[in-house]
Amino acid sequence: MNTGFFEGLKPAKFEGAYSNDPMAFHHYNSDEIILGKSMKEHLRFAVAYWHSFAWEGGDPFGGPTFERPWHPQDEMGRAKMKADVAFEMFDLLQNPFFCWHDADVRPEGDTLAQSISRLDEITDYFMSKMENRDVGLLWGTANMFSHRRWMSGASTNPDPEIFAYAVATVKSCMDATLKMGGQNYVLWGGREGYETLLNTNMGRELDHMGRFLHMVVEYKHKIGYKGQILVEPKPQEPSKHQYDYDAATCIGFLRKYGLENEIKLNLEQGHAILAGHSFEHEIAVAATNGMLGSIDMNRNDYQSGWDTDQFPNNVPEVALCYYHILKAGGLVQGGTNFDAKLRRQSIDAQDLIAAHIGAMDICARGLKTAAAMIEDGGLEDMLTKRYAGWDSPEAKAMLDSDFTSISEKFLARGHDPQPQSGRQEIIENYVSRFV
Ligand code: XLS
Ligand code: NI
Ligand code: NI
C-alpha cells in the first residue's frame, strides 16, 4: 500500500534540455551511452537515508521544520513507514542505490542487543522491498558520532568499553551490509579526533584506530564480504580536528598501518572544501594512489564555511570531478552518493524529489562534459606535450642515476634551459568551451 507521501508525483522521465517540467530529467538519460557505458552505470546514484529521511530539519538555532508522518523516529512501526516512503522515492527516481547508517533506519534500542535486532528487522524489511525492484545498497555504515556515548570517539575513545561497543556496532552493520548485498562499507569518524590536544594521547588513539581498521578488514575476509571497505576523509566538524583529515592524510595513515591494499577512500565534495582543497584535488590524490573508492556528491556554501551538504549545482566543478574519475577508470564498485540535504525551508515532499532530480541532472551534465573533453583529447595532448622532454631515453635514464652523475653530465652539456609557459589561461579557455 502506498503511503501517499508523494501524492500527485509521477516517476521522473527524461524529457530533454528544453522541457519545462521541473519534475522531469533534462540531462540524465539513464540508458544513454557515454564512452561505452550507460549513464546509469557510470554515475551509480545513491540517496543518503540520513539526510532525506532521518534529518528533521533542525539547525543549531532551531528545531525540526519537516514534520514528516514518520516522526518521532522512536518506534519500529514508524521506521517501517519511513522505509515505505523511501522506496516510493526510489521508484520516482528510477531506482537509485541508497546508503544508510544504522541510526537512520532503526530507533535506538534500550540495549545494544535490541538496537542490533532492530537493525536486522529493518534490513530484512528493506530486502523484501528490494526483491521486485532494481534498487541496491551502495553502502552501509555505523553512526558512531550522534549518541552521547561517542562524544570522546569510537575506536579512539579513552574508554576500552566504548571501543568494544564500537566493534560490536560495526560488526552488526557489516553483517547487515553483507546480507543486503551492499557494494561498499564506509567508515567516517566524526569523533575520531580531538577537541583539545591537552587531554589527548594522539599516538595511542591512532594506534587504536589502526588496529580497529585491521579488525574490520579481518572480519570482512572472515565473513566473505566482497565489497570495498572505504574511509571517508573530513578535516573537522563535529570534532575540532579529525584524524582522517583529507585524502593524503588518510593514505599516509593507511600505509603506516599496512592497510593500503585493503581500504580505499570515499571522498566528499564539501569535505574537500573544508580541508582547503578542491574536490578534483582529492579525487586526483586518491586516484594517483590507486585508492579511489566512491564519492559523496554535494556542495558547501562558499560563504558560510560549514559543511552545508547542499545538493550539487555547479556544472564546471562537477565536470572536473568526473573528468578525473573517468581518467582513473570510473567509479567501478563505488557510486555517486548524494550526501546532501534540503534547505530547512524546503518542507514539501516535492522538494525532496526535485532536489534529487536536479542533482542527477547536474551530474549528468558533468559526466557528459568530462566525456567530451576526454574524447576530444585536448587536455591529454597538452599534458603529453608538457612532459614530452621526459620521453627521451636520456631523461628517463636520469631517474635511475644519481646526484653526482646527473650534475657532472649537466655541467658538461653547458645547457641553459629556458622556462616554458604553463598556458593556464589557454587551457582554462579550452575547458570553458565544453562546460
Ligand atoms: C558527514 C559525513 C557522513 C558520512 C557517513 O559529514 O559526510 O555523512 O558520509 O557517515
Ligand atoms: Ni559530510
Ligand atoms: Ni559523507
Side-chain angles (χ1 to χ4, degrees), residues 73 93 176 179 185 193 229 238 247 268 271 308 345 349 358 420 422:
Q73 302 179 63
L93 292 176
K179 178 178 80 177
Y185 185 83
I229 304 290
E268 179 164 325
H271 300 183
T308 53
Q345 300 171 54
Q420 306 286 319

Side-chain angles (χ1 to χ4, degrees), residues 310-382:
Q310 292 171 248
F311 282 89
N313 73 349
N314 186 324
V315 177
E317 274 183 10
V318 169
L320 291 179
C321 302
Y322 284 112
Y323 181 77
H324 286 276
I325 288 170
L326 288 175
K327 274 201 6 177
L331 288 169
V332 198
Q333 241 178 298
T336 303
N337 170 45
F338 292 117
D339 197 345
K341 59 180 182 243
L342 293 173
R343 295 308 86 194
R344 196 164 172 266
Q345 300 171 54
S346 305
I347 58 177
D348 293 348
Q350 186 184 19
D351 295 325
L352 200 47
I353 305 297
H356 284 89
I357 289 176
M360 289 159 83
D361 268 347
I362 292 285
C363 291
R365 284 181 69 184
L367 176 74
K368 286 171 100 168
T369 304
M373 290 197 291
I374 285 180
E375 274 178 329
D376 183 77
L379 287 177
E380 207 52 47
D381 278 357
M382 173 279 300

Side-chain angles (χ1 to χ4, degrees), residues 32-39 42 326 364 367-368 371-372 375:
E32 186 177 329
I33 302 294
I34 308 279
L35 299 178
K37 273 202 296 190
S38 71
M39 278 198 188
H42 274 293
L326 288 175
L367 176 74
K368 286 171 100 168
E375 274 178 329

Side-chain angles (χ1 to χ4, degrees), residues 416-430:
D416 180 18
Q418 295 303 305
Q420 306 286 319
S421 171
R423 304 175 76 233
Q424 182 169 337
E425 294 77 7
I426 291 175
I427 297 163
E428 286 170 348
N429 294 352
Y430 168 85

Side-chain angles (χ1 to χ4, degrees), residues 43-48 96-99 138 335-339 356:
L43 293 164
R44 296 167 59 83
F45 290 127
V47 170
F97 289 94
F98 69 116
C99 302
L138 185 65
T336 303
N337 170 45
F338 292 117
D339 197 345
H356 284 89

